[in-house]
Amino acid sequence: MQLCSKLNILRQSSRDVNNSQNNGKSNNRKGVVAPFMVVITLSILLLAGPTSVTLSVFAQGNTANQGIGQSQSGIQLGVCVSGNGTVFSCNNSNTQSQTNTGSNAAAQSGGSGSGGNSATQGIGQSQTSNQNSGVTSGGNTTNSGNNNNTQSQTNTGSNAAAQSGGSGSGGNSATQGIGQSQTSNQNSGVTSGGNTQGSGNNQNTQSQNNTGSNAVAQQGGSGSGKGGNSATQGIGQSQSNNQNAQCVSGGNTADSCNNASTQTQTNSGSNAAAQSGGSGSGKGGNSATQGIGQSQSNNQNAQCVSGGNVAGSCNNASTQTQTNSGSNAAAQQGGSGSGKGGNSATQGIGQSQSNNQNAQCVAGGSLSNSCSNTSTQSQTNTGSNAAAQQGGSGSGGNSATQKIGQSQSNNQNAQCVSGKDAIVSCDNQSFQNQVNSGSNVLGQLGGSGSGGNSATQGIGQSQSNNQNAQCASGGNVDESCNNASTQSQTNTGSNAAAQQGGSDSSDSSDSSDSSDSSDSSDSSDSSDSSDSSDSSDSSDSSDSSDSSGQ
């Protein structure tokens, strides 16, 4: 796919995000103030995927398209059908690793003809794994039908561009993106006429580390035509995991159909842009859009149906960690031209985590240490948004939007039905922690032309938790169907803006809007019911279903 096609995807994704935000506002969901920047950044991730690289220089201007892409895809399918027992069979194991140290660099100088400088640079790493295992055994199933996936991405490469406008009409345009994407889908199904032991388990580990940065310097030219400086920069990390496990046993089920996922994202790369307007008299100005985004999504479903006991099975465990120390920095100086134009900067840092877990156990015997959900979500941001804007002599003003947002969402459902005792089962545990020390800093100085200063700054933290647990037992219910949630938010970041009007009093105004918001919600519902009966004729009938829409 060509880079220009992916840019169309970027623009469409941004429009979809804006529509989604408007709908969210109508529903009074005002949690995080910067989710739009997260998705803008992650849409840039689409830009930075594996691409063909083209370089063309036309008479009307300079155009450079540069791309570095790494892509890995794995598909594994294991199917076992046995009239007797199944041992150490139908297991899938996948390991994917990507490392990039290469960079993209472009230098462009405009000439006297029409046209301008355009540079598109992307670094992308993509990994996809699909694993499916199915075991049907007339006897026992042991250590079979397990899926294991490990994905690792490391990037130290950067994008760098320097653009200088010429005496002809046209302007400078730069789009830079660094993206890392990991996707894992695991499905396991085990059906045994006898016992199921150590089978149908899914395990996923995803790791992303980026130290690369985006840097651009733009100098406007002296041409009189329409043109200006435009820079779009994004760093995005995305991880997605979907796990489904189902075990059906005529006998006992032990240490089987468990889902475990670990997702880690670390970014220390930054976006930096320096823009200086030219002396041309045409319409144009400085525009910078910068975003850093981290996104993690986890969906786990586990279902166990056993004629006997269920022990240590159908548990879901998820750990999500995000760390960002990268910042957005922009310096904009208006030109000396008399045409309409101004400085515009949009900066955002966003972290998003989503977890959905469903566990269901039905046992003719006892339940122990099964069908429990555990989620740990951690977000740390030390990166900041910084912008300096100085107006030029042309008409137009300074406008800046800066936002930092952290969002965590957790949904857990557990259901246990046992003919005998239920012990330490169907428990939901959630730990959510958010720490932000990043700030929004802005300095605006009006020029000699008409126009004013406008600033919007926001820091937001949002946490949402929903837990449901249900137990029905023919015997005792002990330490089961408990909901536990811990939510913590810490913010030491600040919003700071300094504004000074220009020398033109005909149309000049300063406007500043800053907001800090934190939102946490916790909803839990648990119920226990116990019914003991003794009968010489006993029967066990179960019908369970689990569906999830990704």
Side-chain angles (χ1 to χ4, degrees):
M1 181 182 295
Q2 298 293 326
L3 284 175
C4 59
S5 299
K6 294 195 176 183
L7 281 173
N8 291 332
I9 298 176
L10 184 154
R11 298 186 184 101
Q12 181 61 46
S13 178
S14 298
R15 287 194 293 267
D16 293 341
V17 173
N18 292 331
N19 293 334
S20 176
Q21 279 190 312
N22 294 332
N23 293 336
K25 290 180 180 178
S26 64
N27 293 328
N28 294 324
R29 299 184 62 180
K30 301 180 180 179
V32 177
V33 296
F36 76 100
M37 281 307 304
V38 179
V39 187
I40 287 178
T41 302
L42 297 179
S43 61
I44 293 177
L45 179 64
L46 298 175
L47 158 101
T51 59
S52 60
V53 182
T54 60
L55 177 60
S56 57
V57 179
F58 301 98
Q60 63 268 27
N62 297 318
T63 300
N65 294 329
Q66 298 175 318
I68 298 174
Q70 295 176 313
S71 177
Q72 293 174 322
S73 178
I75 299 176
Q76 295 175 317
L77 176 63
V79 178
C80 291
V81 179
S82 174
N84 294 316
T86 302
V87 181
F88 293 105
S89 301
C90 284
N91 297 304
N92 295 317
S93 180
N94 177 59
T95 300
Q96 295 173 321
S97 178
Q98 292 175 330
T99 301
N100 175 61
T101 58
S103 298
N104 294 314
Q108 296 173 318
S109 177
S112 58
S114 63
N117 297 317
S118 175
T120 301
Q121 299 173 317
I123 298 174
Q125 295 176 313
S126 174
Q127 293 173 326
T128 301
S129 175
N130 296 292
Q131 296 174 315
N132 297 280
S133 63
V135 177
T136 301
S137 178
N140 299 327
T141 301
T142 305
N143 297 323
S144 299
N146 297 301
N147 295 315
N148 183 56
N149 178 60
T150 301
Q151 295 173 318
S152 175
Q153 292 175 329
T154 301
N155 175 62
T156 58
S158 297
N159 295 312
Q163 296 173 318
S164 176
S167 58
S169 61
N172 297 316
S173 174
T175 300
Q176 298 174 317
I178 298 174
Q180 295 176 314
S181 174
Q182 293 173 326
T183 300
S184 175
N185 299 297
Q186 295 175 317
N187 298 284
S188 63
V190 177
T191 302
S192 304
N195 300 324
T196 300
Q197 170 73 39
S199 300
N201 297 302
N202 295 315
Q203 184 170 359
N204 175 61
T205 302
Q206 294 173 318
S207 175
Q208 293 175 328
N209 182 48
N210 175 62
T211 58
S213 297
N214 294 313
V216 63
Q218 295 173 319
Q219 170 72 49
S222 59
S224 60
K226 178 179 179 181
N229 296 317
S230 174
T232 301
Q233 299 174 314
I235 298 174
Q237 294 176 314
S238 173
Q239 293 174 326
S240 174
N241 177 60
N242 300 293
Q243 294 174 317
N244 298 285
Q246 186 181 53
C247 286
V248 179
S249 305
N252 299 323
T253 301
D255 300 322
S256 299
C257 282
N258 296 301
N259 294 317
S261 174
T262 301
Q263 297 173 314
T264 303
Q265 292 175 328
T266 303
N267 175 61
S268 58
S270 297
N271 294 313
Q275 296 173 318
S276 177
S279 59
S281 59
K283 179 179 179 181
N286 296 317
S287 174
T289 301
Q290 300 173 316
I292 297 174
Q294 295 176 313
S295 174
Q296 293 174 325
S297 173
N298 179 63
N299 298 293
Q300 295 173 317
N301 298 285
Q303 186 182 56
C304 288
V305 178
S306 178
N309 300 323
V310 176
S313 300
C314 280
N315 296 301
N316 295 315
S318 172
T319 301
Q320 296 173 316
T321 303
Q322 293 175 327
T323 302
N324 175 62
S325 58
S327 297
N328 295 313
Q332 296 174 319
Q333 181 177 355
S336 59
S338 58
K340 182 178 180 180
N343 296 317
S344 174
T346 301
Q347 299 173 317
I349 297 174
Q351 295 175 314
S352 174
Q353 293 173 326
S354 173
N355 178 63
N356 298 293
Q357 295 174 317
N358 298 285
Q360 186 181 53
C361 287
V362 178
S366 299
L367 280 172
S368 60
N369 299 310
S370 299
C371 275
S372 293
N373 297 313
T374 302
S375 172
T376 302
Q377 296 174 317
S378 176
Q379 293 175 328
T380 302
N381 176 60
T382 57
S384 297
N385 294 314
Q389 296 174 318
Q390 180 176 348
S393 58
S395 62
N398 297 316
S399 174
T401 300
Q402 298 174 317
K403 296 185 180 182
I404 298 174
Q406 295 176 314
S407 174
Q408 292 173 327
S409 173
N410 179 62
N411 298 293
Q412 295 173 318
N413 298 285
Q415 186 181 50
C416 287
V417 178
S418 62
K420 295 183 179 179
D421 299 335
I423 303 173
V424 193
S425 298
C426 277
D427 293 318
N428 293 316
Q429 286 187 321
S430 173
F431 303 93
Q432 295 175 317
N433 184 49
Q434 293 175 328
V435 178
N436 175 62
S437 58
S439 297
N440 294 314
V441 181
L442 175 65
Q444 292 176 320
L445 176 62
S448 59
S450 61
N453 297 317
S454 174
T456 302
Q457 298 174 315
I459 298 174
Q461 295 175 313
S462 174
Q463 293 173 324
S464 174
N465 179 60
N466 297 292
Q467 296 173 315
N468 296 285
Q470 186 179 48
C471 287
S473 174
N476 298 321
V477 176
D478 187 12
E479 297 183 9
S480 299
C481 279
N482 297 303
N483 294 315
S485 173
T486 301
Q487 295 176 317
S488 175
Q489 293 176 327
T490 302
N491 175 58
T492 57
S494 301
N495 294 313
Q499 296 174 317
Q500 180 176 342
S503 59
D504 190 339
S505 60
S506 60
D507 181 15
S508 177
S509 61
D510 293 344
S511 172
S512 176
D513 179 21
S514 63
S515 65
D516 294 340
S517 68
S518 64
D519 179 28
S520 64
S521 64
D522 186 14
S523 172
S524 65
D525 179 25
S526 63
S527 62
D528 298 343
S529 70
S530 175
D531 181 15
S532 301
S533 61
D534 187 11
S535 173
S536 60
D537 183 14
S538 63
S539 61
D540 181 27
S541 173
S542 63
D543 182 12
S544 60
S545 61
D546 185 17
S547 64
S548 64
Q550 308 302 329

